[in-house]
Protein backbone atom coordinates (compact mmCIF):
# COMPACT_ATOMS: atom_id res chain seq x y z
CA UNK A 1 0.00 0.00 0.00
CA UNK A 2 0.84 3.67 -0.03
CA UNK A 3 2.03 5.29 3.19
CA UNK A 4 4.25 7.97 4.70
CA UNK A 5 6.30 7.69 7.89
CA UNK A 6 7.68 10.76 9.65
CA UNK A 7 9.95 11.12 12.65
CA UNK A 8 8.01 11.65 15.84
CA UNK A 9 7.98 15.02 17.49
CA UNK A 10 8.15 17.32 19.10
CA UNK A 11 11.44 18.58 17.77
CA UNK A 12 12.73 21.36 20.00
CA UNK A 13 15.54 23.60 18.73
CA UNK A 14 17.19 26.86 19.58
CA UNK A 15 17.03 29.70 17.09
CA UNK A 16 19.64 29.40 14.28
CA UNK A 17 20.03 25.63 14.79
CA UNK A 18 20.03 23.17 11.89
CA UNK A 19 16.79 21.31 11.26
CA UNK A 20 16.19 17.86 9.83
CA UNK A 21 12.80 16.16 9.82
CA UNK A 22 12.92 12.63 8.40
CA UNK A 23 10.29 11.32 6.01
CA UNK A 24 10.16 7.96 4.25
CA UNK A 25 7.46 6.61 2.01
CA UNK A 26 6.04 3.45 0.46
CA UNK A 27 4.27 3.84 -2.85
CA UNK A 28 3.19 2.03 -5.97
CA UNK A 29 3.92 3.90 -9.16
CA UNK A 30 5.74 7.22 -9.31
CA UNK A 31 4.46 9.65 -6.70
CA UNK A 32 5.25 13.30 -6.25
CA UNK A 33 6.31 14.29 -2.75
CA UNK A 34 5.24 17.31 -0.74
CA UNK A 35 5.93 19.06 2.53
CA UNK A 36 3.04 21.01 4.07
CA UNK A 37 3.21 23.30 7.10
CA UNK A 38 0.41 24.03 9.56
CA UNK A 39 0.75 27.07 11.79
CA UNK A 40 -1.37 27.24 14.96
CA UNK A 41 -5.03 27.83 14.18
CA UNK A 42 -4.53 27.70 10.43
CA UNK A 43 -5.00 25.27 7.57
CA UNK A 44 -2.21 23.49 5.75
CA UNK A 45 0.04 25.41 3.38
CA UNK A 46 2.20 23.83 0.71
CA UNK A 47 5.83 24.45 1.65
CA UNK A 48 7.69 22.67 -1.16
CA UNK A 49 7.40 19.79 -3.58
CA UNK A 50 9.37 17.46 -5.85
CA UNK A 51 7.83 15.60 -8.76
CA UNK A 52 10.50 13.06 -9.68
CA UNK A 53 13.58 11.30 -8.35
CA UNK A 54 16.59 13.54 -7.56
CA UNK A 55 14.46 16.71 -7.74
CA UNK A 56 15.11 19.20 -4.96
CA UNK A 57 12.22 21.30 -3.68
CA UNK A 58 13.01 24.53 -1.86
CA UNK A 59 11.13 27.44 -0.32
CA UNK A 60 11.73 29.95 2.50
CA UNK A 61 15.12 28.39 3.30
CA UNK A 62 13.71 24.86 3.55
CA UNK A 63 14.92 22.10 1.21
CA UNK A 64 14.09 18.47 0.52
CA UNK A 65 15.48 16.06 -2.08
CA UNK A 66 13.44 13.20 -3.58
CA UNK A 67 15.62 10.09 -3.01
CA UNK A 68 14.12 7.11 -4.80
CA UNK A 69 16.90 4.71 -3.73
CA UNK A 70 16.17 5.32 -0.05
CA UNK A 71 12.46 6.21 -0.53
CA UNK A 72 13.03 9.38 1.47
CA UNK A 73 12.20 13.08 1.35
CA UNK A 74 13.83 14.60 4.43
CA UNK A 75 13.15 18.27 5.22
CA UNK A 76 16.13 20.49 6.12
CA UNK A 77 16.79 24.09 7.03
CA UNK A 78 20.16 25.54 7.84
CA UNK A 79 19.06 28.10 10.45
CA UNK A 80 15.59 27.97 12.00
CA UNK A 81 13.69 30.94 13.38
CA UNK A 82 11.06 31.18 16.10
CA UNK A 83 8.53 31.88 13.35
CA UNK A 84 9.18 28.38 11.91
CA UNK A 85 7.42 26.82 14.92
CA UNK A 86 4.59 24.77 13.40
CA UNK A 87 3.59 21.23 12.49
CA UNK A 88 5.19 19.84 9.33
CA UNK A 89 3.52 17.13 7.23
CA UNK A 90 5.18 15.01 4.59
CA UNK A 91 2.79 13.75 1.90
CA UNK A 92 2.85 11.70 -1.24
CA UNK A 93 0.72 12.59 -4.24
CA UNK A 94 -0.63 9.97 -6.61
CA UNK A 95 -2.29 10.70 -9.94
CA UNK A 96 -4.31 8.04 -11.71
CA UNK A 97 -6.76 8.43 -14.55
CA UNK A 98 -7.00 12.16 -14.02
CA UNK A 99 -7.92 11.77 -10.34
CA UNK A 100 -5.54 12.42 -7.50
CA UNK A 101 -4.86 11.49 -3.90
CA UNK A 102 -2.72 13.02 -1.16
CA UNK A 103 -1.54 10.69 1.60
CA UNK A 104 -0.13 12.40 4.67
CA UNK A 105 2.27 11.38 7.39
CA UNK A 106 1.33 11.92 11.03
CA UNK A 107 3.11 15.27 11.23
CA UNK A 108 6.10 16.50 13.23
CA UNK A 109 5.74 19.41 15.61
CA UNK A 110 8.66 21.85 15.62
CA UNK A 111 9.21 24.26 18.50
CA UNK A 112 11.97 26.87 18.12
CA UNK A 113 13.08 28.83 21.20
CA UNK A 114 14.91 32.17 21.20
CA UNK B 1 -5.43 36.34 -2.43
CA UNK B 2 -8.32 33.90 -2.84
CA UNK B 3 -8.85 31.48 0.04
CA UNK B 4 -10.96 28.49 0.92
CA UNK B 5 -13.62 29.51 3.44
CA UNK B 6 -15.03 27.21 6.11
CA UNK B 7 -17.64 27.66 8.79
CA UNK B 8 -18.06 27.36 11.64
CA UNK B 9 -14.48 27.45 12.91
CA UNK B 10 -15.43 25.67 16.11
CA UNK B 11 -18.38 23.44 16.96
CA UNK B 12 -19.31 21.69 20.19
CA UNK B 13 -22.14 19.20 20.03
CA UNK B 14 -23.53 16.39 22.13
CA UNK B 15 -23.32 12.82 20.91
CA UNK B 16 -26.33 11.64 18.90
CA UNK B 17 -26.94 15.18 17.62
CA UNK B 18 -26.61 16.24 13.99
CA UNK B 19 -23.88 18.63 12.88
CA UNK B 20 -23.02 20.24 9.54
CA UNK B 21 -19.96 22.00 8.16
CA UNK B 22 -19.78 24.32 5.18
CA UNK B 23 -17.00 24.96 2.69
CA UNK B 24 -16.65 27.53 -0.09
CA UNK B 25 -13.70 26.69 -2.37
CA UNK B 26 -11.58 29.11 -4.34
CA UNK B 27 -13.58 30.44 -7.28
CA UNK B 28 -13.10 28.33 -10.38
CA UNK B 29 -11.74 25.29 -8.55
CA UNK B 30 -13.48 22.20 -9.90
CA UNK B 31 -12.20 19.71 -7.33
CA UNK B 32 -13.18 19.87 -3.68
CA UNK B 33 -11.92 17.64 -0.86
CA UNK B 34 -13.04 17.00 2.71
CA UNK B 35 -10.44 15.65 5.14
CA UNK B 36 -10.61 14.57 8.77
CA UNK B 37 -7.60 15.27 10.97
CA UNK B 38 -7.60 13.50 14.32
CA UNK B 39 -5.38 15.15 16.94
CA UNK B 40 -1.78 14.04 16.48
CA UNK B 41 -2.38 12.53 13.05
CA UNK B 42 -2.22 13.66 9.45
CA UNK B 43 -5.33 14.52 7.44
CA UNK B 44 -7.25 11.61 5.89
CA UNK B 45 -9.43 12.06 2.84
CA UNK B 46 -13.14 11.53 3.47
CA UNK B 47 -14.62 12.53 0.11
CA UNK B 48 -13.53 14.11 -3.16
CA UNK B 49 -15.78 15.94 -5.63
CA UNK B 50 -15.15 16.74 -9.26
CA UNK B 51 -17.68 19.52 -9.93
CA UNK B 52 -20.90 18.16 -8.38
CA UNK B 53 -19.97 14.48 -8.66
CA UNK B 54 -18.36 12.32 -5.99
CA UNK B 55 -15.23 10.66 -7.38
CA UNK B 56 -13.91 9.10 -4.15
CA UNK B 57 -15.83 8.45 -0.95
CA UNK B 58 -14.19 5.16 -0.05
CA UNK B 59 -13.19 6.39 3.46
CA UNK B 60 -16.47 8.14 4.26
CA UNK B 61 -18.47 6.35 7.01
CA UNK B 62 -21.66 6.39 5.01
CA UNK B 63 -23.89 5.18 7.83
CA UNK B 64 -23.54 8.56 9.54
CA UNK B 65 -21.67 10.92 7.21
CA UNK B 66 -22.98 12.56 4.06
CA UNK B 67 -21.57 15.19 1.73
CA UNK B 68 -23.03 17.18 -1.10
CA UNK B 69 -21.95 19.78 -3.61
CA UNK B 70 -25.21 20.42 -5.38
CA UNK B 71 -24.20 23.18 -7.81
CA UNK B 72 -20.57 22.25 -8.06
CA UNK B 73 -19.48 25.22 -5.98
CA UNK B 74 -19.83 25.16 -2.18
CA UNK B 75 -20.21 21.99 -0.19
CA UNK B 76 -21.72 20.70 3.04
CA UNK B 77 -20.51 17.79 5.16
CA UNK B 78 -23.02 16.37 7.64
CA UNK B 79 -22.72 13.94 10.53
CA UNK B 80 -25.83 12.35 11.99
CA UNK B 81 -25.69 11.13 14.66
CA UNK B 82 -22.38 12.41 16.00
CA UNK B 83 -20.26 10.06 18.11
CA UNK B 84 -17.47 10.81 20.56
CA UNK B 85 -14.90 9.44 18.10
CA UNK B 86 -15.88 12.08 15.55
CA UNK B 87 -14.07 14.77 17.55
CA UNK B 88 -11.45 16.07 15.11
CA UNK B 89 -10.53 18.91 12.75
CA UNK B 90 -12.45 18.81 9.48
CA UNK B 91 -10.50 20.38 6.65
CA UNK B 92 -11.75 21.42 3.24
CA UNK B 93 -9.43 21.88 0.27
CA UNK B 94 -9.84 22.73 -3.38
CA UNK B 95 -7.82 22.51 -6.57
CA UNK B 96 -8.30 23.60 -10.17
CA UNK B 97 -8.68 19.94 -11.08
CA UNK B 98 -8.53 17.58 -13.98
CA UNK B 99 -9.44 19.99 -16.78
CA UNK B 100 -6.55 22.25 -15.92
CA UNK B 101 -4.13 19.46 -15.03
CA UNK B 102 -3.46 21.39 -11.85
CA UNK B 103 -3.83 19.44 -8.65
CA UNK B 104 -2.23 21.63 -6.00
CA UNK B 105 -4.62 21.63 -3.07
CA UNK B 106 -5.37 24.80 -1.14
CA UNK B 107 -6.67 24.24 2.37
CA UNK B 108 -9.16 26.16 4.44
CA UNK B 109 -8.65 26.90 8.16
CA UNK B 110 -10.76 23.93 9.22
CA UNK B 111 -13.65 23.33 11.60
CA UNK B 112 -12.71 21.89 14.98
CA UNK B 113 -15.49 19.59 16.20
CA UNK B 114 -15.80 18.48 19.81
CA UNK B 115 -18.42 15.85 20.62
CA UNK B 116 -19.38 15.60 24.31
Amino acid sequence: GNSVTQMEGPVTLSEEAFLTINCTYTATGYPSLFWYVQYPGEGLQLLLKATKADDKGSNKGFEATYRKETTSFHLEKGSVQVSDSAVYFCALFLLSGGYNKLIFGAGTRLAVHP
Amino acid sequence: EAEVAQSPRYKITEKSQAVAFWCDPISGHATLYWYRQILGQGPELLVQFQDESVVDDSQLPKDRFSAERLKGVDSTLKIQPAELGDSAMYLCASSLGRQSHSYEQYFGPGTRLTVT
Side-chain angles (χ1 to χ4, degrees):
Chain A
N2 302 302
S3 66
V4 176
T5 303
Q6 291 181 233
M7 63 186 290
E8 288 191 21
V11 174
T12 303
L13 296 173
S14 298
E15 207 165 23
E16 299 183 3
F18 184 85
L19 168 71
T20 299
I21 300 177
N22 290 339
C23 170
T24 57
Y25 68 91
T26 303
T28 54
Y30 304 96
S32 296
L33 298 171
F34 294 74
W35 277 100
Y36 280 84
V37 59
Q38 187 174 33
Y39 298 102
E42 299 183 14
L44 277 71
Q45 301 174 26
L46 180 63
L47 180 60
L48 55 84
K49 65 181 180 182
T51 58
K52 60 184 187 296
D54 299 325
D55 269 3
K56 178 186 281 189
S58 61
N59 186 26
K60 299 181 181 179
F62 291 89
E63 293 182 341
T65 301
Y66 188 158
R67 301 286 189 200
K68 190 177 179 182
E69 64 276 13
T70 54
T71 62
S72 65
F73 193 55
H74 305 321
L75 183 68
E76 297 182 336
K77 187 176 185 182
S79 175
V80 294
Q81 305 300 312
V82 172
S83 58
D84 294 327
S85 298
V87 181
Y88 292 82
F89 293 93
C90 184
L92 66 87
F93 175 83
L94 297 165
L95 186 61
S96 175
Y99 299 110
N100 68 95
K101 194 159 200 171
L102 261 180
I103 297 170
F104 289 88
T108 302
R109 181 174 299 277
L110 171 66
V112 181
H113 299 290
Chain B
E1 184 176 312
E3 295 180 341
V4 176
Q6 290 188 248
S7 67
R9 292 292 306 274
Y10 304 92
K11 180 70 178 179
I12 300 174
T13 192
E14 295 183 348
K15 66 178 182 178
S16 79
Q17 295 299 303
V19 63
F21 314 128
W22 177 80
C23 172
D24 191 13
I26 293 172
S27 178
H29 280 199
T31 309
L32 185 147
Y33 315 78
W34 283 103
Y35 290 87
R36 178 170 58 186
Q37 184 181 13
I38 296 170
L39 189 64
Q41 299 182 20
E44 290 185 301
L45 182 70
L46 290 175
V47 61
Q48 178 178 343
F49 290 91
Q50 178 68 30
D51 299 310
E52 67 277 6
S53 300
V54 173
V55 298
D56 185 354
D57 63 355
S58 56
Q59 300 304 308
L60 188 72
K62 298 181 188 64
D63 56 335
R64 298 185 300 107
F65 285 64
S66 64
E68 60 184 16
R69 193 184 183 199
L70 293 175
K71 296 182 179 178
V73 181
D74 58 339
S75 175
T76 302
L77 178 70
K78 297 179 181 177
I79 308 175
Q80 182 173 13
E83 295 181 352
L84 295 177
D86 296 332
S87 295
M89 176 78 85
Y90 290 83
L91 294 166
C92 180
S94 69
S95 64
L96 278 168
R98 192 167 44 149
Q99 298 298 330
S100 304
H101 300 283
S102 175
Y103 302 99
E104 180 175 338
Q105 295 184 26
Y106 295 83
F107 284 80
T111 296
R112 181 167 295 284
L113 173 67
T114 302
V115 182
T116 62

